[in-house]
PDB file of all heavy atoms in Angstrom:
ATOM      1  N   VAL Q  13       0.861  -1.193   0.000  1.00  0.00           N
ATOM      2  CA  VAL Q  13       0.000   0.000   0.000  1.00  0.00           C
ATOM      3  C   VAL Q  13       0.893   1.238   0.000  1.00  0.00           C
ATOM      4  O   VAL Q  13       1.725   1.391   0.893  1.00  0.00           O
ATOM      5  CB  VAL Q  13      -0.934   0.002   1.227  1.00  0.00           C
ATOM      6  CG1 VAL Q  13      -1.706   1.302   1.326  1.00  0.00           C
ATOM      7  CG2 VAL Q  13      -1.868  -1.195   1.181  1.00  0.00           C
ATOM      8  N   PRO Q  14       0.739   2.105  -1.008  1.00  0.00           N
ATOM      9  CA  PRO Q  14       1.544   3.331  -1.019  1.00  0.00           C
ATOM     10  C   PRO Q  14       1.181   4.236   0.163  1.00  0.00           C
ATOM     11  O   PRO Q  14       0.029   4.282   0.578  1.00  0.00           O
ATOM     12  CB  PRO Q  14       1.163   4.015  -2.336  1.00  0.00           C
ATOM     13  CG  PRO Q  14       0.405   3.006  -3.121  1.00  0.00           C
ATOM     14  CD  PRO Q  14      -0.135   1.993  -2.157  1.00  0.00           C
ATOM     15  N   ASP Q  15       2.161   4.920   0.691  1.00  0.00           N
ATOM     16  CA  ASP Q  15       1.974   5.851   1.814  1.00  0.00           C
ATOM     17  C   ASP Q  15       1.243   5.175   2.972  1.00  0.00           C
ATOM     18  O   ASP Q  15       0.222   5.655   3.485  1.00  0.00           O
ATOM     19  CB  ASP Q  15       1.244   7.112   1.355  1.00  0.00           C
ATOM     20  CG  ASP Q  15       1.625   8.322   2.183  1.00  0.00           C
ATOM     21  OD1 ASP Q  15       2.364   8.160   3.181  1.00  0.00           O
ATOM     22  OD2 ASP Q  15       1.167   9.427   1.860  1.00  0.00           O
ATOM     23  N   ALA Q  16       1.794   4.040   3.381  1.00  0.00           N
ATOM     24  CA  ALA Q  16       1.166   3.188   4.386  1.00  0.00           C
ATOM     25  C   ALA Q  16       0.932   3.902   5.714  1.00  0.00           C
ATOM     26  O   ALA Q  16      -0.121   3.727   6.335  1.00  0.00           O
ATOM     27  CB  ALA Q  16       2.018   1.935   4.603  1.00  0.00           C
ATOM     28  N   MET Q  17       1.872   4.709   6.161  1.00  0.00           N
ATOM     29  CA  MET Q  17       1.703   5.396   7.449  1.00  0.00           C
ATOM     30  C   MET Q  17       0.543   6.384   7.384  1.00  0.00           C
ATOM     31  O   MET Q  17      -0.249   6.490   8.321  1.00  0.00           O
ATOM     32  CB  MET Q  17       2.992   6.114   7.860  1.00  0.00           C
ATOM     33  CG  MET Q  17       2.863   6.863   9.179  1.00  0.00           C
ATOM     34  SD  MET Q  17       2.285   5.861  10.592  1.00  0.00           S
ATOM     35  CE  MET Q  17       3.821   5.122  11.104  1.00  0.00           C
ATOM     36  N   ARG Q  18       0.422   7.106   6.273  1.00  0.00           N
ATOM     37  CA  ARG Q  18      -0.690   8.052   6.129  1.00  0.00           C
ATOM     38  C   ARG Q  18      -2.021   7.314   6.207  1.00  0.00           C
ATOM     39  O   ARG Q  18      -2.930   7.717   6.929  1.00  0.00           O
ATOM     40  CB  ARG Q  18      -0.599   8.804   4.800  1.00  0.00           C
ATOM     41  CG  ARG Q  18      -1.747   9.798   4.599  1.00  0.00           C
ATOM     42  CD  ARG Q  18      -1.758  10.372   3.182  1.00  0.00           C
ATOM     43  NE  ARG Q  18      -2.162   9.373   2.207  1.00  0.00           N
ATOM     44  CZ  ARG Q  18      -3.436   9.137   1.860  1.00  0.00           C
ATOM     45  NH1 ARG Q  18      -4.415   9.833   2.402  1.00  0.00           N
ATOM     46  NH2 ARG Q  18      -3.731   8.217   0.974  1.00  0.00           N
ATOM     47  N   ASP Q  19      -2.139   6.202   5.475  1.00  0.00           N
ATOM     48  CA  ASP Q  19      -3.389   5.444   5.484  1.00  0.00           C
ATOM     49  C   ASP Q  19      -3.675   4.867   6.865  1.00  0.00           C
ATOM     50  O   ASP Q  19      -4.812   4.896   7.336  1.00  0.00           O
ATOM     51  CB  ASP Q  19      -3.354   4.328   4.439  1.00  0.00           C
ATOM     52  CG  ASP Q  19      -3.588   4.834   3.036  1.00  0.00           C
ATOM     53  OD1 ASP Q  19      -3.602   6.073   2.826  1.00  0.00           O
ATOM     54  OD2 ASP Q  19      -3.756   3.991   2.130  1.00  0.00           O
ATOM     55  N   ALA Q  20      -2.651   4.347   7.527  1.00  0.00           N
ATOM     56  CA  ALA Q  20      -2.847   3.793   8.872  1.00  0.00           C
ATOM     57  C   ALA Q  20      -3.326   4.882   9.829  1.00  0.00           C
ATOM     58  O   ALA Q  20      -4.247   4.677  10.620  1.00  0.00           O
ATOM     59  CB  ALA Q  20      -1.556   3.168   9.380  1.00  0.00           C
ATOM     60  N   ARG Q  21      -2.726   6.048   9.731  1.00  0.00           N
ATOM     61  CA  ARG Q  21      -3.118   7.159  10.606  1.00  0.00           C
ATOM     62  C   ARG Q  21      -4.556   7.606  10.317  1.00  0.00           C
ATOM     63  O   ARG Q  21      -5.329   7.865  11.240  1.00  0.00           O
ATOM     64  CB  ARG Q  21      -2.132   8.309  10.441  1.00  0.00           C
ATOM     65  CG  ARG Q  21      -2.271   9.380  11.478  1.00  0.00           C
ATOM     66  CD  ARG Q  21      -1.156  10.422  11.331  1.00  0.00           C
ATOM     67  NE  ARG Q  21      -1.311  11.472  12.302  1.00  0.00           N
ATOM     68  CZ  ARG Q  21      -0.782  11.473  13.517  1.00  0.00           C
ATOM     69  NH1 ARG Q  21      -0.031  10.465  13.913  1.00  0.00           N
ATOM     70  NH2 ARG Q  21      -0.987  12.478  14.343  1.00  0.00           N
ATOM     71  N   LEU Q  22      -4.915   7.675   9.044  1.00  0.00           N
ATOM     72  CA  LEU Q  22      -6.287   8.058   8.689  1.00  0.00           C
ATOM     73  C   LEU Q  22      -7.299   7.034   9.179  1.00  0.00           C
ATOM     74  O   LEU Q  22      -8.377   7.393   9.655  1.00  0.00           O
ATOM     75  CB  LEU Q  22      -6.413   8.259   7.179  1.00  0.00           C
ATOM     76  CG  LEU Q  22      -5.745   9.516   6.628  1.00  0.00           C
ATOM     77  CD1 LEU Q  22      -5.740   9.492   5.099  1.00  0.00           C
ATOM     78  CD2 LEU Q  22      -6.432  10.766   7.146  1.00  0.00           C
ATOM     79  N   LEU Q  23      -6.950   5.767   9.077  1.00  0.00           N
ATOM     80  CA  LEU Q  23      -7.864   4.728   9.561  1.00  0.00           C
ATOM     81  C   LEU Q  23      -8.019   4.796  11.081  1.00  0.00           C
ATOM     82  O   LEU Q  23      -9.137   4.661  11.596  1.00  0.00           O
ATOM     83  CB  LEU Q  23      -7.376   3.343   9.138  1.00  0.00           C
ATOM     84  CG  LEU Q  23      -7.541   3.012   7.661  1.00  0.00           C
ATOM     85  CD1 LEU Q  23      -6.830   1.713   7.315  1.00  0.00           C
ATOM     86  CD2 LEU Q  23      -9.013   2.946   7.278  1.00  0.00           C
ATOM     87  N   LEU Q  24      -6.927   5.012  11.786  1.00  0.00           N
ATOM     88  CA  LEU Q  24      -7.021   5.110  13.241  1.00  0.00           C
ATOM     89  C   LEU Q  24      -7.823   6.347  13.638  1.00  0.00           C
ATOM     90  O   LEU Q  24      -8.670   6.286  14.536  1.00  0.00           O
ATOM     91  CB  LEU Q  24      -5.633   5.141  13.881  1.00  0.00           C
ATOM     92  CG  LEU Q  24      -5.619   5.127  15.407  1.00  0.00           C
ATOM     93  CD1 LEU Q  24      -6.400   3.939  15.975  1.00  0.00           C
ATOM     94  CD2 LEU Q  24      -4.197   5.130  15.923  1.00  0.00           C
ATOM     95  N   ARG Q  25      -7.598   7.428  12.953  1.00  0.00           N
ATOM     96  CA  ARG Q  25      -8.368   8.642  13.231  1.00  0.00           C
ATOM     97  C   ARG Q  25      -9.856   8.401  13.007  1.00  0.00           C
ATOM     98  O   ARG Q  25     -10.703   8.833  13.786  1.00  0.00           O
ATOM     99  CB  ARG Q  25      -7.861   9.770  12.338  1.00  0.00           C
ATOM    100  CG  ARG Q  25      -8.543  11.069  12.599  1.00  0.00           C
ATOM    101  CD  ARG Q  25      -7.932  12.169  11.769  1.00  0.00           C
ATOM    102  NE  ARG Q  25      -8.884  13.253  11.682  1.00  0.00           N
ATOM    103  CZ  ARG Q  25      -8.964  14.106  10.706  1.00  0.00           C
ATOM    104  NH1 ARG Q  25      -8.120  14.034   9.704  1.00  0.00           N
ATOM    105  NH2 ARG Q  25      -9.865  15.039  10.698  1.00  0.00           N
ATOM    106  N   TRP Q  26     -10.183   7.665  11.947  1.00  0.00           N
ATOM    107  CA  TRP Q  26     -11.579   7.342  11.650  1.00  0.00           C
ATOM    108  C   TRP Q  26     -12.177   6.466  12.753  1.00  0.00           C
ATOM    109  O   TRP Q  26     -13.286   6.726  13.236  1.00  0.00           O
ATOM    110  CB  TRP Q  26     -11.661   6.667  10.286  1.00  0.00           C
ATOM    111  CG  TRP Q  26     -13.001   6.121   9.956  1.00  0.00           C
ATOM    112  CD1 TRP Q  26     -14.141   6.814   9.679  1.00  0.00           C
ATOM    113  CD2 TRP Q  26     -13.353   4.739   9.878  1.00  0.00           C
ATOM    114  NE1 TRP Q  26     -15.176   5.950   9.426  1.00  0.00           N
ATOM    115  CE2 TRP Q  26     -14.712   4.663   9.532  1.00  0.00           C
ATOM    116  CE3 TRP Q  26     -12.634   3.553  10.043  1.00  0.00           C
ATOM    117  CZ2 TRP Q  26     -15.368   3.453   9.371  1.00  0.00           C
ATOM    118  CZ3 TRP Q  26     -13.289   2.351   9.869  1.00  0.00           C
ATOM    119  CH2 TRP Q  26     -14.652   2.317   9.545  1.00  0.00           C
ATOM    120  N   VAL Q  27     -11.446   5.426  13.163  1.00  0.00           N
ATOM    121  CA  VAL Q  27     -11.937   4.528  14.216  1.00  0.00           C
ATOM    122  C   VAL Q  27     -12.163   5.294  15.519  1.00  0.00           C
ATOM    123  O   VAL Q  27     -13.165   5.079  16.203  1.00  0.00           O
ATOM    124  CB  VAL Q  27     -10.954   3.352  14.430  1.00  0.00           C
ATOM    125  CG1 VAL Q  27     -11.238   2.619  15.732  1.00  0.00           C
ATOM    126  CG2 VAL Q  27     -11.019   2.382  13.251  1.00  0.00           C
ATOM    127  N   LEU Q  28     -11.257   6.194  15.835  1.00  0.00           N
ATOM    128  CA  LEU Q  28     -11.361   6.957  17.085  1.00  0.00           C
ATOM    129  C   LEU Q  28     -12.321   8.133  16.971  1.00  0.00           C
ATOM    130  O   LEU Q  28     -12.645   8.761  17.980  1.00  0.00           O
ATOM    131  CB  LEU Q  28      -9.980   7.476  17.499  1.00  0.00           C
ATOM    132  CG  LEU Q  28      -8.907   6.427  17.771  1.00  0.00           C
ATOM    133  CD1 LEU Q  28      -7.587   7.109  18.089  1.00  0.00           C
ATOM    134  CD2 LEU Q  28      -9.331   5.481  18.876  1.00  0.00           C
ATOM    135  N   ASP Q  29     -12.737   8.448  15.752  1.00  0.00           N
ATOM    136  CA  ASP Q  29     -13.571   9.622  15.496  1.00  0.00           C
ATOM    137  C   ASP Q  29     -12.904  10.866  16.094  1.00  0.00           C
ATOM    138  O   ASP Q  29     -13.526  11.655  16.812  1.00  0.00           O
ATOM    139  CB  ASP Q  29     -14.987   9.430  16.054  1.00  0.00           C
ATOM    140  CG  ASP Q  29     -15.969  10.472  15.533  1.00  0.00           C
ATOM    141  OD1 ASP Q  29     -15.728  11.023  14.440  1.00  0.00           O
ATOM    142  OD2 ASP Q  29     -16.959  10.741  16.231  1.00  0.00           O
ATOM    143  N   ALA Q  30     -11.606  10.993  15.784  1.00  0.00           N
ATOM    144  CA  ALA Q  30     -10.800  12.061  16.357  1.00  0.00           C
ATOM    145  C   ALA Q  30     -10.496  13.139  15.323  1.00  0.00           C
ATOM    146  O   ALA Q  30     -10.421  12.859  14.129  1.00  0.00           O
ATOM    147  CB  ALA Q  30      -9.483  11.489  16.893  1.00  0.00           C
ATOM    148  N   ARG Q  31     -10.321  14.334  15.798  1.00  0.00           N
ATOM    149  CA  ARG Q  31      -9.886  15.420  14.937  1.00  0.00           C
ATOM    150  C   ARG Q  31      -8.384  15.273  14.700  1.00  0.00           C
ATOM    151  O   ARG Q  31      -7.673  14.721  15.546  1.00  0.00           O
ATOM    152  CB  ARG Q  31     -10.165  16.772  15.582  1.00  0.00           C
ATOM    153  CG  ARG Q  31     -11.648  17.017  15.831  1.00  0.00           C
ATOM    154  CD  ARG Q  31     -11.911  18.331  16.501  1.00  0.00           C
ATOM    155  NE  ARG Q  31     -11.011  18.534  17.642  1.00  0.00           N
ATOM    156  CZ  ARG Q  31     -10.806  19.694  18.238  1.00  0.00           C
ATOM    157  NH1 ARG Q  31     -11.432  20.772  17.836  1.00  0.00           N
ATOM    158  NH2 ARG Q  31      -9.986  19.794  19.269  1.00  0.00           N
ATOM    159  N   ALA Q  32      -7.911  15.776  13.570  1.00  0.00           N
ATOM    160  CA  ALA Q  32      -6.492  15.675  13.235  1.00  0.00           C
ATOM    161  C   ALA Q  32      -5.616  16.267  14.338  1.00  0.00           C
ATOM    162  O   ALA Q  32      -4.587  15.692  14.702  1.00  0.00           O
ATOM    163  CB  ALA Q  32      -6.220  16.355  11.898  1.00  0.00           C
ATOM    164  N   GLU Q  33      -6.040  17.394  14.884  1.00  0.00           N
ATOM    165  CA  GLU Q  33      -5.230  18.071  15.898  1.00  0.00           C
ATOM    166  C   GLU Q  33      -5.208  17.320  17.233  1.00  0.00           C
ATOM    167  O   GLU Q  33      -4.380  17.619  18.093  1.00  0.00           O
ATOM    168  CB  GLU Q  33      -5.679  19.519  16.096  1.00  0.00           C
ATOM    169  CG  GLU Q  33      -7.121  19.689  16.467  1.00  0.00           C
ATOM    170  CD  GLU Q  33      -8.055  19.877  15.275  1.00  0.00           C
ATOM    171  OE1 GLU Q  33      -7.719  19.496  14.139  1.00  0.00           O
ATOM    172  OE2 GLU Q  33      -9.156  20.397  15.500  1.00  0.00           O
ATOM    173  N   ASP Q  34      -6.086  16.347  17.414  1.00  0.00           N
ATOM    174  CA  ASP Q  34      -6.117  15.576  18.657  1.00  0.00           C
ATOM    175  C   ASP Q  34      -5.363  14.249  18.568  1.00  0.00           C
ATOM    176  O   ASP Q  34      -5.241  13.539  19.572  1.00  0.00           O
ATOM    177  CB  ASP Q  34      -7.569  15.289  19.059  1.00  0.00           C
ATOM    178  CG  ASP Q  34      -8.341  16.555  19.367  1.00  0.00           C
ATOM    179  OD1 ASP Q  34      -7.718  17.560  19.791  1.00  0.00           O
ATOM    180  OD2 ASP Q  34      -9.578  16.551  19.165  1.00  0.00           O
ATOM    181  N   MET Q  35      -4.867  13.918  17.386  1.00  0.00           N
ATOM    182  CA  MET Q  35      -4.267  12.597  17.197  1.00  0.00           C
ATOM    183  C   MET Q  35      -2.988  12.379  17.994  1.00  0.00           C
ATOM    184  O   MET Q  35      -2.778  11.285  18.528  1.00  0.00           O
ATOM    185  CB  MET Q  35      -3.999  12.332  15.707  1.00  0.00           C
ATOM    186  CG  MET Q  35      -5.233  11.904  14.950  1.00  0.00           C
ATOM    187  SD  MET Q  35      -5.998  10.399  15.604  1.00  0.00           S
ATOM    188  CE  MET Q  35      -4.780   9.177  15.149  1.00  0.00           C
ATOM    189  N   ASN Q  36      -2.122  13.376  18.101  1.00  0.00           N
ATOM    190  CA  ASN Q  36      -0.874  13.166  18.845  1.00  0.00           C
ATOM    191  C   ASN Q  36      -1.151  12.758  20.289  1.00  0.00           C
ATOM    192  O   ASN Q  36      -0.516  11.845  20.812  1.00  0.00           O
ATOM    193  CB  ASN Q  36       0.012  14.414  18.789  1.00  0.00           C
ATOM    194  CG  ASN Q  36       0.660  14.582  17.442  1.00  0.00           C
ATOM    195  OD1 ASN Q  36       0.829  13.627  16.697  1.00  0.00           O
ATOM    196  ND2 ASN Q  36       1.015  15.806  17.107  1.00  0.00           N
ATOM    197  N   GLU Q  37      -2.105  13.407  20.903  1.00  0.00           N
ATOM    198  CA  GLU Q  37      -2.470  13.042  22.273  1.00  0.00           C
ATOM    199  C   GLU Q  37      -3.145  11.668  22.310  1.00  0.00           C
ATOM    200  O   GLU Q  37      -2.872  10.853  23.197  1.00  0.00           O
ATOM    201  CB  GLU Q  37      -3.388  14.100  22.889  1.00  0.00           C
ATOM    202  CG  GLU Q  37      -3.809  13.797  24.308  1.00  0.00           C
ATOM    203  CD  GLU Q  37      -2.652  13.729  25.294  1.00  0.00           C
ATOM    204  OE1 GLU Q  37      -1.653  14.447  25.107  1.00  0.00           O
ATOM    205  OE2 GLU Q  37      -2.754  12.946  26.260  1.00  0.00           O
ATOM    206  N   ALA Q  38      -4.012  11.400  21.356  1.00  0.00           N
ATOM    207  CA  ALA Q  38      -4.739  10.126  21.314  1.00  0.00           C
ATOM    208  C   ALA Q  38      -3.789   8.937  21.162  1.00  0.00           C
ATOM    209  O   ALA Q  38      -4.084   7.843  21.655  1.00  0.00           O
ATOM    210  CB  ALA Q  38      -5.756  10.138  20.182  1.00  0.00           C
ATOM    211  N   LEU Q  39      -2.659   9.146  20.512  1.00  0.00           N
ATOM    212  CA  LEU Q  39      -1.709   8.054  20.293  1.00  0.00           C
ATOM    213  C   LEU Q  39      -0.962   7.666  21.560  1.00  0.00           C
ATOM    214  O   LEU Q  39      -0.428   6.561  21.645  1.00  0.00           O
ATOM    215  CB  LEU Q  39      -0.702   8.438  19.210  1.00  0.00           C
ATOM    216  CG  LEU Q  39      -1.271   8.541  17.803  1.00  0.00           C
ATOM    217  CD1 LEU Q  39      -0.211   9.080  16.852  1.00  0.00           C
ATOM    218  CD2 LEU Q  39      -1.802   7.208  17.321  1.00  0.00           C
ATOM    219  N   ARG Q  40      -0.943   8.532  22.546  1.00  0.00           N
ATOM    220  CA  ARG Q  40      -0.155   8.299  23.761  1.00  0.00           C
ATOM    221  C   ARG Q  40      -0.866   7.458  24.812  1.00  0.00           C
ATOM    222  O   ARG Q  40      -0.265   7.112  25.824  1.00  0.00           O
ATOM    223  CB  ARG Q  40       0.233   9.638  24.386  1.00  0.00           C
ATOM    224  CG  ARG Q  40       1.163  10.452  23.539  1.00  0.00           C
ATOM    225  CD  ARG Q  40       1.618  11.699  24.292  1.00  0.00           C
ATOM    226  NE  ARG Q  40       2.332  12.564  23.385  1.00  0.00           N
ATOM    227  CZ  ARG Q  40       1.926  13.777  23.025  1.00  0.00           C
ATOM    228  NH1 ARG Q  40       0.797  14.274  23.505  1.00  0.00           N
ATOM    229  NH2 ARG Q  40       2.635  14.498  22.191  1.00  0.00           N
ATOM    230  N   VAL Q  41      -2.127   7.170  24.590  1.00  0.00           N
ATOM    231  CA  VAL Q  41      -2.895   6.465  25.628  1.00  0.00           C
ATOM    232  C   VAL Q  41      -3.340   5.094  25.121  1.00  0.00           C
ATOM    233  O   VAL Q  41      -3.458   4.877  23.919  1.00  0.00           O
ATOM    234  CB  VAL Q  41      -4.128   7.292  26.061  1.00  0.00           C
ATOM    235  CG1 VAL Q  41      -3.699   8.598  26.692  1.00  0.00           C
ATOM    236  CG2 VAL Q  41      -5.050   7.546  24.899  1.00  0.00           C
ATOM    237  N   PRO Q  42      -3.601   4.180  26.047  1.00  0.00           N
ATOM    238  CA  PRO Q  42      -4.112   2.870  25.625  1.00  0.00           C
ATOM    239  C   PRO Q  42      -5.512   3.000  25.042  1.00  0.00           C
ATOM    240  O   PRO Q  42      -6.287   3.867  25.445  1.00  0.00           O
ATOM    241  CB  PRO Q  42      -4.152   2.061  26.928  1.00  0.00           C
ATOM    242  CG  PRO Q  42      -3.328   2.807  27.899  1.00  0.00           C
ATOM    243  CD  PRO Q  42      -3.368   4.244  27.485  1.00  0.00           C
ATOM    244  N   GLY Q  43      -5.815   2.140  24.111  1.00  0.00           N
ATOM    245  CA  GLY Q  43      -7.146   2.116  23.526  1.00  0.00           C
ATOM    246  C   GLY Q  43      -7.943   0.947  24.050  1.00  0.00           C
ATOM    247  O   GLY Q  43      -7.418   0.049  24.709  1.00  0.00           O
ATOM    248  N   SER Q  44      -9.215   0.955  23.727  1.00  0.00           N
ATOM    249  CA  SER Q  44     -10.095  -0.126  24.166  1.00  0.00           C
ATOM    250  C   SER Q  44      -9.977  -1.319  23.215  1.00  0.00           C
ATOM    251  O   SER Q  44      -9.487  -1.195  22.089  1.00  0.00           O
ATOM    252  CB  SER Q  44     -11.542   0.363  24.201  1.00  0.00           C
ATOM    253  OG  SER Q  44     -12.021   0.559  22.872  1.00  0.00           O
ATOM    254  N   ALA Q  45     -10.458  -2.444  23.670  1.00  0.00           N
ATOM    255  CA  ALA Q  45     -10.461  -3.647  22.829  1.00  0.00           C
ATOM    256  C   ALA Q  45     -11.346  -3.431  21.604  1.00  0.00           C
ATOM    257  O   ALA Q  45     -11.008  -3.886  20.503  1.00  0.00           O
ATOM    258  CB  ALA Q  45     -10.950  -4.849  23.634  1.00  0.00           C
ATOM    259  N   ARG Q  46     -12.457  -2.716  21.776  1.00  0.00           N
ATOM    260  CA  ARG Q  46     -13.342  -2.440  20.648  1.00  0.00           C
ATOM    261  C   ARG Q  46     -12.638  -1.590  19.595  1.00  0.00           C
ATOM    262  O   ARG Q  46     -12.722  -1.861  18.411  1.00  0.00           O
ATOM    263  CB  ARG Q  46     -14.609  -1.731  21.121  1.00  0.00           C
ATOM    264  CG  ARG Q  46     -15.628  -1.506  19.989  1.00  0.00           C
ATOM    265  CD  ARG Q  46     -16.554  -0.315  20.224  1.00  0.00           C
ATOM    266  NE  ARG Q  46     -15.904   0.959  20.375  1.00  0.00           N
ATOM    267  CZ  ARG Q  46     -15.447   1.717  19.361  1.00  0.00           C
ATOM    268  NH1 ARG Q  46     -15.535   1.306  18.132  1.00  0.00           N
ATOM    269  NH2 ARG Q  46     -14.887   2.892  19.598  1.00  0.00           N
ATOM    270  N   GLU Q  47     -11.913  -0.562  20.046  1.00  0.00           N
ATOM    271  CA  GLU Q  47     -11.163   0.278  19.112  1.00  0.00           C
ATOM    272  C   GLU Q  47     -10.103  -0.531  18.383  1.00  0.00           C
ATOM    273  O   GLU Q  47      -9.939  -0.399  17.164  1.00  0.00           O
ATOM    274  CB  GLU Q  47     -10.488   1.431  19.861  1.00  0.00           C
ATOM    275  CG  GLU Q  47     -11.433   2.468  20.401  1.00  0.00           C
ATOM    276  CD  GLU Q  47     -10.764   3.440  21.357  1.00  0.00           C
ATOM    277  OE1 GLU Q  47      -9.659   3.129  21.883  1.00  0.00           O
ATOM    278  OE2 GLU Q  47     -11.353   4.504  21.581  1.00  0.00           O
ATOM    279  N   GLN Q  48      -9.404  -1.352  19.119  1.00  0.00           N
ATOM    280  CA  GLN Q  48      -8.346  -2.157  18.515  1.00  0.00           C
ATOM    281  C   GLN Q  48      -8.916  -3.125  17.482  1.00  0.00           C
ATOM    282  O   GLN Q  48      -8.377  -3.269  16.390  1.00  0.00           O
ATOM    283  CB  GLN Q  48      -7.566  -2.921  19.583  1.00  0.00           C
ATOM    284  CG  GLN Q  48      -6.349  -3.639  19.021  1.00  0.00           C
ATOM    285  CD  GLN Q  48      -5.497  -4.268  20.113  1.00  0.00           C
ATOM    286  OE1 GLN Q  48      -5.995  -4.571  21.197  1.00  0.00           O
ATOM    287  NE2 GLN Q  48      -4.235  -4.451  19.826  1.00  0.00           N
ATOM    288  N   ASP Q  49     -10.018  -3.785  17.807  1.00  0.00           N
ATOM    289  CA  ASP Q  49     -10.643  -4.714  16.858  1.00  0.00           C
ATOM    290  C   ASP Q  49     -11.117  -3.989  15.604  1.00  0.00           C
ATOM    291  O   ASP Q  49     -10.905  -4.468  14.485  1.00  0.00           O
ATOM    292  CB  ASP Q  49     -11.829  -5.430  17.514  1.00  0.00           C
ATOM    293  CG  ASP Q  49     -11.413  -6.417  18.586  1.00  0.00           C
ATOM    294  OD1 ASP Q  49     -10.208  -6.765  18.655  1.00  0.00           O
ATOM    295  OD2 ASP Q  49     -12.291  -6.835  19.356  1.00  0.00           O
ATOM    296  N   ALA Q  50     -11.748  -2.839  15.780  1.00  0.00           N
ATOM    297  CA  ALA Q  50     -12.233  -2.069  14.636  1.00  0.00           C
ATOM    298  C   ALA Q  50     -11.069  -1.593  13.771  1.00  0.00           C
ATOM    299  O   ALA Q  50     -11.139  -1.641  12.531  1.00  0.00           O
ATOM    300  CB  ALA Q  50     -13.069  -0.880  15.109  1.00  0.00           C
ATOM    301  N   PHE Q  51      -9.999  -1.148  14.405  1.00  0.00           N
ATOM    302  CA  PHE Q  51      -8.829  -0.680  13.661  1.00  0.00           C
ATOM    303  C   PHE Q  51      -8.175  -1.823  12.897  1.00  0.00           C
ATOM    304  O   PHE Q  51      -7.871  -1.684  11.711  1.00  0.00           O
ATOM    305  CB  PHE Q  51      -7.837  -0.022  14.628  1.00  0.00           C
ATOM    306  CG  PHE Q  51      -6.606   0.508  13.963  1.00  0.00           C
ATOM    307  CD1 PHE Q  51      -6.692   1.425  12.920  1.00  0.00           C
ATOM    308  CD2 PHE Q  51      -5.348   0.112  14.382  1.00  0.00           C
ATOM    309  CE1 PHE Q  51      -5.548   1.930  12.312  1.00  0.00           C
ATOM    310  CE2 PHE Q  51      -4.202   0.610  13.790  1.00  0.00           C
ATOM    311  CZ  PHE Q  51      -4.302   1.520  12.756  1.00  0.00           C
ATOM    312  N   HIS Q  52      -8.002  -2.959  13.538  1.00  0.00           N
ATOM    313  CA  HIS Q  52      -7.393  -4.107  12.858  1.00  0.00           C
ATOM    314  C   HIS Q  52      -8.246  -4.568  11.678  1.00  0.00           C
ATOM    315  O   HIS Q  52      -7.706  -4.951  10.634  1.00  0.00           O
ATOM    316  CB  HIS Q  52      -7.144  -5.239  13.842  1.00  0.00           C
ATOM    317  CG  HIS Q  52      -5.983  -4.973  14.749  1.00  0.00           C
ATOM    318  ND1 HIS Q  52      -5.533  -5.873  15.673  1.00  0.00           N
ATOM    319  CD2 HIS Q  52      -5.172  -3.896  14.882  1.00  0.00           C
ATOM    320  CE1 HIS Q  52      -4.508  -5.374  16.331  1.00  0.00           C
ATOM    321  NE2 HIS Q  52      -4.282  -4.171  15.874  1.00  0.00           N
ATOM    322  N   ALA Q  53      -9.560  -4.532  11.827  1.00  0.00           N
ATOM    323  CA  ALA Q  53     -10.448  -4.909  10.721  1.00  0.00           C
ATOM    324  C   ALA Q  53     -10.303  -3.927   9.559  1.00  0.00           C
ATOM    325  O   ALA Q  53     -10.252  -4.331   8.396  1.00  0.00           O
ATOM    326  CB  ALA Q  53     -11.895  -4.966  11.203  1.00  0.00           C
ATOM    327  N   ALA Q  54     -10.223  -2.642   9.867  1.00  0.00           N
ATOM    328  CA  ALA Q  54     -10.064  -1.629   8.818  1.00  0.00           C
ATOM    329  C   ALA Q  54      -8.715  -1.780   8.119  1.00  0.00           C
ATOM    330  O   ALA Q  54      -8.631  -1.678   6.888  1.00  0.00           O
ATOM    331  CB  ALA Q  54     -10.207  -0.229   9.407  1.00  0.00           C
TER     332      ALA Q  54
END
């Protein structure tokens, strides 16, 4: 997949329903099992 990190970040942002400016903080904390399952599926 071209630009894999960009796509991974966009998918995680979508799963978390997070704003772009909130992603750095969101990455520093543990996520829920539901978030992890949804992200892995995406």
